Amino acid sequence: AQTVTQSQPEMSVQEAETVTLSCTYDTSENNYYLFWYKQPPSRQMILVIRQEAYKQQNATENRFSVNFQKAAKSFSLKISDSQLGDTAMYFCAFPRIGGATNKLIFGTGTLLAVQP
Amino acid sequence: SQTIHQWPATLVQPVGSPLSLECTVEGTSNPNLYWYRQAAGRGLQLLFYSVGIGQISSEVPQNLSASRPQDRQFILSSKKLLLSDSGFYLCAWSMGQGFSEAFFGQGTRLTVV
């Protein structure tokens, strides 16, 4: 079964500091994408970053970067220079393969609070 | 550019009343469409997905149904709402059968009273 696990329900970080959110997944596929989504208090789901499994280089988007460990099936999100606007729920997502299309399945989320 | 519209943003409905939530996508054709539900403080649960007009797949048995009358229109319905149908509903779209990310609407907060 393809699953996504986020083991940190809540985290807190001081403004300007760095924080890492963890995600592990389980799949027998070899080629796939992984995603991090952000859900601020407005509840709009916003794509933060994506990683292609066949690429060894970790993806980076401005202050957001991932540490992708394919063998360990680990996909963590690092937020550098945290800002108050980063306060949100963060979800790791993974496409479940099979059927007519691939369907994103989500972890249970990590609530990140950036403290001033 | 592609956009996704979902409405209404907020809805309060009595138990036993019908439901219709609508979602439309602009700027693309033949998207995959999805309905997710999010309970308070929880993750997203996939309810339905569609790969084409009239093609609906259900992920979980429930009191809801979905329809896709047009290529870029996706509707979530219920004939009689239950209290347990309360939640935050999100429509999303993605491209093709590959490993594409999903893009989400702004969501509908449904409260059944």
Side-chain angles (χ1 to χ4, degrees):
Chain A
Q2 294 157 334
T3 59
V4 181
T5 302
Q6 294 180 252
S7 58
Q8 305 155 312
E10 296 183 20
M11 294 193 71
S12 181
V13 64
Q14 291 296 124
E15 198 174 6
E17 297 294 312
T18 295
V19 63
T20 298
L21 309 182
S22 301
C23 173
T24 59
Y25 60 95
D26 186 26
T27 183
S28 57
E29 300 294 324
N30 189 51
N31 189 21
Y32 48 88
Y33 281 57
L34 291 160
F35 307 96
W36 278 98
Y37 281 85
K38 168 185 177 180
Q39 188 179 40
S42 68
R43 303 195 78 173
Q44 171 80 52
M45 290 289 287
I46 302 166
L47 177 66
V48 174
I49 197 166
R50 70 174 185 175
Q51 173 74 44
E52 299 165 42
Y54 67 89
K55 288 187 176 180
Q56 293 185 335
Q57 185 175 7
N58 289 323
T60 300
E61 287 287 343
N62 300 313
R63 299 182 294 107
F64 298 87
S65 61
V66 301
N67 182 5
F68 175 50
Q69 302 291 329
K70 189 174 183 180
K73 296 180 181 175
S74 170
F75 181 57
S76 60
L77 175 69
K78 186 172 81 171
I79 305 174
S80 305
D81 186 25
S82 296
Q83 300 176 0
L84 296 178
D86 295 333
T87 293
M89 182 76 85
Y90 287 82
F91 294 96
C92 177
F94 174 78
R96 192 179 75 209
I97 312 300
T101 186
N102 300 319
K103 301 162 281 290
L104 276 182
I105 56 174
F106 289 80
T108 52
T110 296
L111 181 60
L112 175 67
V114 180
Q115 306 292 341
Chain B
S1 64
Q2 301 90 355
T3 56
I4 179 169
H5 303 281
Q6 183 181 344
W7 68 93
T10 306
L11 193 59
V12 179
Q13 291 284 96
V15 169
S17 64
L19 173 73
S20 181
L21 303 182
E22 189 163 342
C23 172
T24 59
V25 179
E26 296 178 357
T28 187
S29 59
N30 198 31
N32 299 321
L33 296 171
Y34 311 86
W35 280 110
Y36 285 87
R37 178 169 58 197
Q38 185 179 28
R42 305 288 295 276
L44 277 70
Q45 180 187 38
L46 179 62
L47 301 177
F48 300 95
Y49 67 93
S50 171
V51 298
I53 296 174
Q55 301 180 61
I56 308 296
S57 297
S58 174
E59 285 289 299
V60 294
Q62 60 203 301
N63 185 44
L64 302 169
S65 62
S67 62
R68 185 170 177 174
Q70 299 180 46
D71 180 44
R72 291 169 291 175
Q73 183 185 27
F74 205 24
I75 298 172
L76 184 68
S77 304
S78 174
K79 292 182 179 179
K80 290 185 178 181
L81 284 168
L82 306 172
L83 288 174
S84 58
D85 291 324
S86 293
F88 190 65
Y89 291 83
L90 286 155
C91 180
W93 73 274
S94 71
M95 284 301 296
Q97 292 190 3
F99 309 121
S100 173
E101 60 266 36
F103 299 94
F104 287 82
Q106 294 188 311
T108 298
R109 186 187 306 275
L110 172 65
T111 304
V112 182
V113 297

